[in-house]
Amino acid sequence: LAVESSSLVKLEGNLYRFAVTLRNRDATAIMLPAFDLTLTDAQGRVVARKMLPASELGAAQPALPAAGELPLQGVLDARAQPLAGYSVEIFYP
């Protein structure tokens, strides 16, 4: 299971759209992970860290089929924190 692509795009005000695409490179279905999203400022300092279950990003199923791909997205409120970067990791809580 891998993060195929991701993006964080400013919408308006303090709102950002986080999008991520997962790819299952295995021959069997794999349970969906959660996402550890770390948001940083222009100096690279951590502004916030969020744990996002796949269901909060629009996943309707609990697993990703074999050789499947799943695009997910959600809107985040940065609460007046200026964001300049991010990193995303997948994990199983």
Side-chain angles (χ1 to χ4, degrees), residues 11-53:
L11 298 175
E12 59 183 48
N14 299 322
L15 299 178
Y16 291 79
R17 178 181 301 115
F18 172 62
V20 62
T21 300
L22 289 176
R23 179 176 299 281
N24 181 356
R25 297 179 179 159
D26 200 28
T28 61
I30 297 177
M31 295 300 292
L32 291 177
F35 299 89
D36 180 11
L37 180 63
T38 302
L39 306 170
T40 57
D41 65 12
Q43 287 74 40
R45 293 182 298 232
V46 174
V47 172
R49 206 168 161 199
K50 296 183 172 279
M51 189 283 294
L52 300 167

